[in-house]
């Protein structure tokens, strides 16, 4: 959806705001405006939309909405994402940027997060220190953006500084802040520091578990992934697609066919068996664990419109020594209208070279 169509959807909800100065109120407007403004901000993805962003801003001003802190923060983000930092700066410095209420952090968070999304990490950190000079303290939405900036800049000292700051404010164990810090530590291979912080978080959700499990897997601590999954289940936290893909990849690497089969059953119960990434992870797990017959059974049960799925099967045939079958599978892939990629051809090379199939090479 482009911003023009989004603005048309926004208009009916905004127009009644004209009556607010006469003492009227509209619960519908108050409830729907945040969602509609979020839709608008996501629609502004490049500088060609700047004119439309200005039109939306003017429309909000005319209807006396733009002075609210939430709305101002959203408009700031729209200007930044559209690439108009001059308009963004003009609006930003017209706001009350000093510590005056709990909402004074919103415009700061908006402009910092916009810089981060555009890859302008140095500018994001610069505005953070400027924010401190204005006497505004960061909140749990500020730290993840700043930590991401430090990771992008490969600034480990900055990450440690931010953790100390978050700790001094009692926010380092917040699940959002902790997830960002854990991910940052794992980027540097500091698995002990990440694990220590993880265990200090009292309220763990699926997201922070996934960050930790993927970190273990990335660092090669496969046993910790398996133990972590058990602990996650004991905490009665349901795994999602990210969890399944992570643990199934470990099962494939360690040939843990029994655990992989249990995860397959859990995916079935969860209704996730045929979700794109999970079905491919299951195929890969069965193939690499020496249970290619199970991979074939699963393949016959699923829709076959995915290049990755076909690649898993072709690779599985080759790894199982079934070269002729891999070529038949490739022919079926082409017949079904699925386009091969570089991985497809590299997987087929052993089969082609063994049978000297010149027609396949061509």
């Amino acid at each position: 959806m482009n911003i023009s169509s989004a603005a048309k959807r926004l208009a009916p909800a905004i127009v009644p705001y004209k009556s607010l100065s006469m003492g009227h109120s509209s619960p519908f407007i108050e409830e729907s405006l945040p969602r509609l403004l979020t839709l608008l901000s996501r629609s502004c993805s490049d500088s060609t939309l700047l004119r439309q962003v200005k039109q939306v801003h003017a429309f909000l001003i005319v209807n006396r909405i733009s002075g609210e802190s939430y709305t101002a923060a959203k408009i700031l983000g729209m200007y930044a994402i559209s690439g108009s930092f001059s308009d963004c700066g003009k609006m930003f410095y017209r706001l009350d940027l000093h510590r005056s209420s709990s909402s004074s952090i919103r415009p700061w968070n908006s402009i910092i997060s916009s810089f981060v999304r555009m890859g302008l990490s140095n500018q994001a950190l610069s505005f953070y220190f400027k924010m401190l000079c204005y006497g505004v303290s960061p909140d749990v939405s500020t730290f993840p953006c700043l930590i991401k900036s430090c990771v992008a800049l490969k600034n480990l000292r900055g990450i440690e500084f931010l953790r100390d700051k978050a700790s001094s404010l009692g926010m380092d164990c917040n699940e959002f802040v902790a997830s960002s810090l854990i991910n940052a530590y794992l980027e540097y291979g500091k698995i002990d520091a990440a694990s220590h912080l993880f265990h200090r978080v009292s309220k763990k959700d699926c997201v922070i578990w996934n960050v930790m499990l993927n970190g273990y897997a990335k660092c090669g601590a496969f046993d910790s992934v398996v133990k972590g999954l058990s602990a996650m289940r004991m905490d009665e936290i349901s795994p999602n697609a990210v969890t399944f893909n992570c643990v199934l990849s470990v099962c494939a690497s360690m040939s843990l066919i029994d655990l992989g089969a249990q995860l397959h059953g859990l995916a079935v119960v969860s209704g996730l068996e045929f979700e794109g990434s999970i079905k491919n992870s299951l195929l890969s797990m069965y193939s690499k664990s020496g249970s290619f017959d199970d991979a074939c059974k699963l393949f016959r049960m699923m829709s076959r419109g995915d290049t990755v799925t076909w690649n898993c099967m072709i690779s599985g045939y080759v790894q199982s020594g079934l070269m002729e079958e891999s070529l038949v599978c490739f022919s079926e892939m082409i017949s079904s209208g699925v386009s091969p990629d570089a991985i497809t051809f590299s997987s087929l090379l052993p089969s082609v070279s063994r049978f000297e199939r010149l027609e396949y090479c061509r």
Side-chain angles (χ1 to χ4, degrees), residues 239-272:
N240 61 12
V242 177
T243 319
F244 281 113
N245 289 329
C246 174
V247 184
L248 284 170
S249 68
V250 170
C251 291
S253 299
M254 300 180 68
S255 297
L256 300 176
I257 184 63
D258 290 337
L259 177 59
Q262 291 176 32
L263 285 171
H264 187 178
L266 183 59
V268 172
V269 171
S270 304
L272 298 172

Side-chain angles (χ1 to χ4, degrees), residues 290-304:
S291 207
F292 191 62
D293 287 343
D294 290 317
C296 292
K297 292 176 184 177
L298 180 62
F299 181 70
R300 286 193 290 269
M301 293 170 59
M302 59 177 62
S303 60
R304 307 179 186 181

